[in-house]
Amino acid sequence: MHTVVLTKGVPDFREGQVAFDEDGHLERGATPTVMNPNDKHALRAALQTKVRNGGHVSLMSMGPPGFKEVLREGMESVYADDAYLVSDRAFAAADTWATSIALTTAIERLDEHVAEDGVDMVFAGFKTADGETGHTGPQTCWGLDWPILTHVVSLDIDEEAGRVRAKRLVEGDIEEIETVEAPLPCFVVADPEFEPTYRKAAHRLTHKDLREETRERAENHEEHVTVWDHEELNLDPDYVGLDGSPTIVSSVDPIPRAPAERDATMVDPEDGEAMRELVEEMAPLAGGE
Amino acid sequence: MSETIDDATGASDEYEQYEAVVVGCGPGGAAAAAALADEGVETLVLERGVDAGSKNVSGGLIYAEESAPYTIDGLFPGFREAATERPVTEYQLHNVAGSQVKSFDITDLHEHDTEWSDAVLRRKMDSWLAERVHERTRETGGGLLTEVKVTGLLREEGEIVGVTCEELDPIRAELVVAADGVNSELARDAGLMDWEEPEEWFQGVKAVVDLPDGAIQERFGVGDGEGAAHLFSGDLFDGVRGGGFVYTNEDSLSIGSVFHLDSVATELAEPHELLDALLTHPFLGQWLDDAEYAEREYSAKLVPDSKKAALRSPHQGRLVVVGDAAGQMQAQGPIIKGMNHAVTAGGLAAEAYAQAKARGDTSRAGEFYERKLRDEGVMEKLRPRRYEVASALGEPEPVANLADAVVDSAVGRFGVRLLGDRLERLYSSPALSMMVPDTRTPYVTLPTVIAEELGAPVDETNDVEPPELADRIGDLTYDTDVGNPHIELLDDSAAASGTAVTACPVSAEGFGGGCYRRETVASNGEREEVVSLDTQPCIECGTCAVVAETDWEHPRGGKGVEFEEG
C-alpha cells in the first residue's frame, strides 16, 4: 500500500497572523505560511489508512522551497514516511489547471518509478483557504484517470480485493450519507466531517508506534524531502506556471474594511439596577422577536 | 445499504485476542503487566486516564517490604531515582487534645519489615511506570493504551472470556487482570465487590501544599534525600473516627485526613472541613506559613479496609483482581499500606498465570493466585487473625462503649500516666497495631487522653486560611463529558441520598457549586426535600456510590477529572 497526501501552504488567515496593506491587499511577506487547514482532514484519512492497512505514506506539495516547513507539519500529523516538494520558478503563478498538470505528473512519476507496487491512493482536502476553488484535487485526478470519491466521511479498504468502500455526504450534506465503492487505485477527497475510527487495540498500538517513529523522522525532515523541478519531471515550461495557466485574473477586489464601530453600553455586572434594565431590554430578543 | 463498513469486511465478527488484558495502570496493574511481559505473555494494558496517574490519588507512602516476594523497584529498576519524592527517615505519631500534643516516635514500627519507604505523587509515579510498562509489554506483542475505559466483562455461555470497552470493540483474553482501582467496574461486574457497607471503607482527602525551596530541610530538620512522616489522631476532628497525615515530598507536602466512611456519614462531617481542621491546627504552624500558603491540588479517594473488604478469593474464571479493586489496602492503626500489596498481588497474579499455563490449563490462574496470596503471607497482612479475634471482642457496641468509658475514666487516665513513655513502645508494636479495633477508642478517645495526660501545649501559631471548596474545585482540571453524566441518582429523596451532600468531598451543606445539593421541591401543595446532582465537579472517589442511591460508573476514557499531582 502506497498512498500520497496532497497538501498546500497557505497564508495564515487567523486573526493576529494575517497582515493586510492599507488598500486591503494581503501582505504575503508579512503573513506566515501554514498548512491549508482543510488538508488536516485528508491527513487524518491517510493516517487511518496507514494505521489500519499499513504501508508507505508520501506527502506531496507544490510551492516555493519555504514550503518545507509545511511539509514538516504535515509529516508530523500523518506520520509520513517521506515528502515530495514540486518546486521550480517555472511553476510560479500557476492557476489550478497548471498546478494540476504538475501534480499529476509528479504522482505519475512516483507511481511508475518510486513506489514499489505503484501508488494505490491519493488523498486531498476539499479546498484551500486561499483560492477556495476546490479544482485542484479533481483536476489532478482527471489527469490520472482514476475514480474519485469526494466528501468522504469514513473509509474502509480491502487491499486484497483491491477495493475501497466509503461513506460520503451526498451533495456535501450531513443529512444524506451514501456508501460507495471504488477499485484501487483511487482518489479520495476527505470531508471536514471525516472521523477516523480506531476500534481495535492493535490499531491504537500501531498509532502509538508510528507517533514515536515519526517524532525522530520529523526532527530531520529535510533528509526525507525530495524536491522535483520541471526538468526532473520532464515538464515543458510552456505548460506549467503562469504560461500554462488559462485563467486570467481581471482584477482583485480588496477586502472591504469592517463597518464603523457599533455603539456600546458598558454595564457593571455588580450594578443590580443596571443589570435588571439590561435584562428587560434584551428579553424581547430572547423570544425571537 | 444497511450493513456497516466494518460488517462488510467482517472485522467486527472476530474480536481481537490477547493472551492477557490488564485493566488499569496503577502500581498493581503495572506490576502485573511487567511481570507478565517478563514471562513472555502478550499483554494489553488499558488505562482510562489521559495518562497513567491522572486518575490516581494516594496519601502518599509506598513501601518495599522485606518479607514481600515483589517490590516496585525490584520490578522496575531505577524506580526510586525517577519516580518517588523523599524517603521516610523519621516517623512520628501525634496525639492531640485541643492544643495539647503528645508525640511518639514510631520510626521503629515504620521500619519493621520495611526495606525502604518513599513519599510519592501519583501522576509522576504512575506515568513513569506506564512508560516502562508500554516498552516491556510492546516487546511481547501487547502494549499500553490510555483513554480506554473498560466497561465490563465479556462473557460467553456464562464464562468470562475477555472485556468490553467503551472506545474499543470487545477483546478476548486468556487472563483478565482487574487492577481498575477502588471503584473497580470489573470486580463489581463479577459480583465480587459491592458498595453497600460504609463500614468497609475509609475516605481520604488530601491537599498537596507547595513549599519554597529548602523549606522542607529547614522546617522538618531533614537533609537532602531525607524526609518525614507525621500522623495525627485525637480530638481535632470532632470525634469523627480517623486521623491525619503530613508527608514530605521533594518540594511540597501531602497533607491529608483519612476517616472511616461510616463515621463521616453518621456524623454528617464535611471532609474538606476535617482536612482544614488539620491544616489550621497550631502544631502545623512550624511547617506552614500563612503568607506563602498555596495548595497545588485538592483530591480525595475511597480506601478499602482490607480487614473487612479484602477478597479472600479475588478471582472468578479467567478474572483475577489485584490492589484496591480486591480490597488489598492494609490500614491497621498507624500502618497504612496499599500500593506495596497491589504490587505483590500483581506479581503473584502473573506468576500464577505462568504456572497455570505451564500446566496446560490457563483457567487455573485464579486458583493459583489465591494460594500464592496465602502462602506468601499477603492475606495474613490484609486480614490478620489477631484482628479477627480482637475485633470480635472489642467492636460490638456495648463492649466498645465500655472500653471507651474506661480509657476516659480516672482508672484509664491513671493507666496512661503510669505507662507514660512506655506507651510509645506499645504504639510501636507491629503485633498490637494489627489488633487496633475500629472504634472510637484508638482513633479518638485514647489519643485525646494521652495528649491531655502526657502532652504539652503547642507554642506555635498557625494562621493558615485554607482555600474555599469552590476555589479548590476551580483549580482542578476537568474534561467534562457534556451530556453524558457518569453518575445517575436513582433515589433523590433526602432520606436515601442526603448524606452525599456532606460526605462527598466536593459538596457541602449550603454550597451550590458541588456535586450534591439539597433542594426543596413544592408540588401539589406539599414541600419535599430532595437532593440534586451535577457530576461536573466530581473527582471520582466513589463516596456517593456507598452513601447514596446511585448508578455509578467511571467517565469515558480521558473524560472527567485529571489530577496533576495525585
Side-chain angles (χ1 to χ4, degrees):
Chain A
M1 193 82 181
H2 195 129
T3 56
V4 174
V5 193
L6 299 180
T7 184
K8 187 186 180 189
V10 297
D12 190 345
F13 286 109
R14 286 173 306 173
E15 188 142 2
Q17 299 290 324
V18 67
F20 294 102
D21 67 13
E22 283 181 4
D23 300 325
H25 290 112
L26 179 72
E27 281 194 283
R28 203 64 190 79
T31 304
T33 299
V34 293
M35 195 177 73
N36 175 42
N38 268 324
D39 291 351
K40 71 168 187 277
H41 312 298
L43 293 167
R44 280 158 71 190
L47 176 59
Q48 180 190 285
T49 308
K50 184 173 170 74
V51 167
R52 286 170 43 166
N53 302 80
H56 191 102
V57 174
S58 300
L59 204 60
M60 184 178 285
S61 186
M62 180 166 132
F67 270 28
K68 280 186 183 171
E69 199 46 37
V70 175
L71 293 178
R72 183 193 57 78
E73 194 187 332
M75 197 167 217
E76 274 175 349
S77 44
V78 75
Y79 307 159
D81 297 276
D82 50 26
Y84 292 86
L85 181 62
V86 180
S87 184
D88 194 327
R89 287 207 162 273
F91 297 141
D95 67 0
T96 63
W97 180 254
T99 302
S100 301
I101 288 183
L103 288 174
T104 303
T105 312
I107 293 167
E108 280 173 348
R109 182 186 164 107
L110 204 61
D111 186 37
E112 284 158 25
H113 301 289
V114 184
E116 222 162 274
D117 298 306
V119 173
D120 301 281
M121 292 181 86
V122 175
F123 289 91
F126 85 122
K127 63 185 178 188
T128 57
D130 50 358
E132 294 233 336
T133 64
H135 293 171
T136 309
Q139 283 172 172
T140 304
C141 182
W142 181 83
L144 293 167
D145 198 18
W146 288 3
I148 185 165
L149 301 172
T150 58
H151 288 295
V152 168
V153 293
S154 77
L155 197 61
D156 204 47
I157 297 156
D158 186 345
E159 217 184 328
E160 241 165 69
R163 294 194 78 77
V164 173
R165 186 184 264 235
K167 286 190 182 179
R168 64 180 299 274
L169 307 182
V170 178
E171 303 292 323
D173 180 2
I174 188 73
E175 299 297 320
E176 203 179 335
I177 295 178
E178 65 178 1
T179 304
V180 292
E181 270 197 17
L184 290 172
C186 79
F187 198 101
V188 172
V189 179
D191 192 87
E193 297 293 331
F194 183 90
E195 275 303 327
T197 50
Y198 301 108
R199 298 282 305 174
K200 300 250 170 280
H203 293 159
R204 293 188 182 211
L205 290 168
T206 304
H207 196 290
K208 248 178 118 164
D209 289 346
L210 291 173
R211 184 167 55 218
E212 209 47 50
E213 260 178 58
T214 313
R215 192 170 298 153
E216 292 165 25
R217 200 161 54 231
E219 271 172 28
N220 308 306
H221 68 282
E222 303 239 338
E223 291 172 17
H224 303 277
V225 178
T226 304
V227 180
W228 282 341
D229 58 15
H230 78 276
E231 282 176 7
E232 197 87 25
L233 294 174
N234 199 19
L235 275 165
D236 185 334
D238 286 347
Y239 291 90
V240 293
L242 188 59
D243 292 344
S245 298
T247 311
I248 295 165
V249 179
S250 59
S251 71
V252 176
D253 290 334
I255 293 171
R257 285 180 180 282
E261 275 183 33
R262 292 177 194 172
D263 288 338
T265 313
M266 302 301 284
V267 179
D268 179 1
E270 302 292 316
D271 183 345
E273 179 61 21
M275 287 297 283
R276 198 178 54 78
E277 282 172 21
L278 176 69
V279 169
E280 274 173 20
E281 204 174 315
M282 291 177 71
L285 302 174
E289 289 169 39
Chain B
M1 212 171 285
S2 63
E3 56 195 342
T4 66
I5 283 181
D6 279 334
D7 290 339
T9 57
S12 62
D13 296 337
E14 297 160 31
Y15 294 144
E16 272 182 289
Q17 163 106 30
Y18 288 84
E19 195 172 354
V21 170
V22 177
V23 183
C25 196
L36 283 164
D38 291 352
E39 298 278 359
V41 176
E42 180 197 43
T43 307
L44 177 67
V45 187
L46 301 174
E47 159 62 44
R48 69 186 178 91
V50 284
D51 186 9
S54 67
K55 294 291 184 185
N56 303 24
V57 174
S58 67
L61 299 186
I62 187 165
Y63 287 80
E65 286 186 328
E66 284 162 2
S67 62
Y70 290 93
T71 59
I72 189 83
D73 60 328
L75 281 166
F76 296 93
F79 172 79
R80 296 186 72 194
E81 293 71 25
T84 71
E85 302 289 317
R86 290 168 183 269
V88 176
T89 48
E90 183 192 324
Y91 207 111
Q92 289 196 34
L93 175 72
H94 306 285
N95 300 279
V96 181
S99 61
Q100 293 252 119
V101 175
K102 174 63 184 174
S103 303
F104 292 151
D105 185 333
I106 54 166
T107 311
D108 285 349
L109 172 65
H110 166 73
E111 287 177 351
H112 170 77
D113 195 23
T114 300
E115 194 183 311
W116 56 264
S117 163
D118 291 352
V120 291
L121 292 167
R122 293 295 297 279
R123 180 67 181 266
K124 173 174 150 190
M125 171 182 133
D126 294 24
S127 59
W128 183 87
L129 288 174
E131 277 182 41
R132 266 84 232 149
V133 164
H134 179 66
E135 282 166 17
R136 279 156 78 171
T137 50
R138 197 81 194 98
E139 277 175 25
T140 54
L144 164 84
L145 294 176
T146 53
E147 296 184 63
V148 175
K149 180 193 149 193
V150 171
T151 51
L153 295 161
L154 179 69
R155 289 185 175 87
E156 257 168 32
E157 292 165 15
E159 297 292 317
I160 294 166
V161 294
V163 294
T164 56
C165 312
E166 183 84 42
E167 291 80 12
L168 300 175
D169 294 335
I171 298 166
R172 302 165 72 84
E174 296 283 306
L175 175 74
V176 176
V177 180
D180 50 344
V182 68
N183 302 317
S184 171
E185 249 116 10
L186 295 184
R188 277 182 289 135
D189 188 341
L192 295 171
M193 273 282 189
D194 61 36
W195 268 323
E196 300 299 323
E197 305 299 332
E199 292 77 13
E200 294 176 358
W201 306 91
F202 298 93
Q203 182 203 60
V205 178
K206 183 175 82 162
V208 177
V209 178
D210 203 45
L211 283 194
D213 279 352
I216 291 195
Q217 287 88 322
E218 196 184 305
R219 297 177 200 174
F220 286 82
V222 295
D224 289 334
E226 292 182 333
H230 294 267
L231 295 184
F232 297 84
S233 61
D235 70 354
L236 74 174
F237 303 111
D238 288 332
V240 186
R241 282 193 340 271
F245 61 83
V246 174
Y247 303 141
T248 54
N249 300 318
E250 211 52 69
D251 51 9
S252 65
L253 298 176
S254 289
I255 304 181
S257 44
V258 183
F259 296 91
H260 283 274
L261 187 56
D262 57 323
S263 188
V264 170
T266 53
E267 305 279 343
L268 298 179
E270 299 279 6
H272 67 287
E273 288 175 5
L274 297 174
L275 174 65
D276 290 349
L278 175 62
L279 286 167
T280 56
H281 192 273
F283 192 83
L284 271 70
Q286 58 186 313
W287 303 321
L288 302 178
D289 179 343
D290 60 296
E292 69 184 27
Y293 184 83
E295 285 182 10
R296 287 191 194 169
E297 189 171 270
Y298 173 75
S299 58
K301 92 180 282 280
L302 275 192
V303 181
D305 181 349
S306 70
K307 299 190 297 295
K308 294 162 183 161
L311 302 178
R312 289 192 166 89
S313 295
H315 59 93
Q316 190 181 98
R318 296 187 177 276
L319 173 76
V320 295
V321 191
V322 307
D324 269 7
Q328 294 165 341
M329 165 72 213
Q330 180 190 5
Q332 287 144 13
I335 298 176
I336 308 162
K337 293 178 175 175
M339 293 177 272
N340 61 311
H341 295 312
V343 167
T344 297
L348 293 176
E351 217 179 82
Y353 177 77
Q355 193 177 328
K357 189 180 168 186
R359 298 206 186 170
D361 184 0
T362 54
S363 70
R364 296 185 68 191
E367 173 197 330
F368 293 156
Y369 168 57
E370 178 181 341
R371 190 183 306 162
K372 283 171 189 292
L373 283 174
R374 199 179 54 234
D375 293 350
E376 294 289 353
V378 180
M379 211 30 102
E380 173 59 24
K381 289 173 189 165
L382 297 172
R383 281 182 171 271
R385 271 178 298 254
R386 280 169 189 275
Y387 168 78
E388 312 247 317
V389 174
S391 65
L393 293 174
E395 274 177 23
E397 217 173 310
V399 184
N401 290 344
L402 177 66
D404 216 49
V406 169
V407 171
D408 203 12
S409 70
V411 178
R413 285 172 182 272
F414 175 76
V416 166
R417 281 199 300 276
L418 188 71
L419 283 165
D421 282 343
R422 270 179 293 168
L423 271 169
E424 181 165 357
R425 254 178 295 138
L426 286 177
Y427 262 78
S428 292
S429 157
L432 275 183
S433 66
M434 280 194 179
M435 294 163 58
V436 173
D438 286 338
T439 61
R440 275 178 61 89
T441 313
Y443 286 103
V444 182
T445 316
L446 181 59
T448 306
V449 169
I450 289 172
E452 281 169 359
E453 297 299 327
L454 305 173
V458 176
D459 47 19
E460 284 90 6
T461 56
N462 182 355
D463 297 318
V464 162
E465 285 180 30
E468 298 290 326
L469 192 49
D471 296 327
R472 282 170 164 163
I473 295 170
D475 284 341
L476 289 168
T477 306
Y478 294 96
D479 180 357
T480 307
D481 198 353
V482 180
N484 194 12
H486 61 284
I487 308 171
E488 194 192 334
L489 199 52
L490 298 175
D491 183 344
D492 69 354
S493 70
S497 300
T499 312
V501 178
T502 48
C504 164
V506 289
S507 303
E509 209 67 75
F511 171 55
C515 284
Y516 288 90
R517 275 181 297 274
R518 228 175 260 286
E519 281 173 6
T520 308
V521 178
S523 63
N524 299 333
E526 287 188 25
R527 297 174 75 79
E528 197 192 348
E529 279 283 308
V530 297
V531 177
S532 74
L533 166 65
D534 169 12
T535 57
Q536 196 281 323
C538 176
I539 48 177
E540 299 164 34
C541 67
T543 297
C544 60
V546 184
V547 304
E549 287 298 316
T550 64
D551 183 4
W552 201 107
E553 56 180 56
H554 289 113
R556 293 193 293 167
K559 297 292 180 184
V561 71
E562 177 188 341
F563 291 116
E564 274 144 26
E565 303 287 333

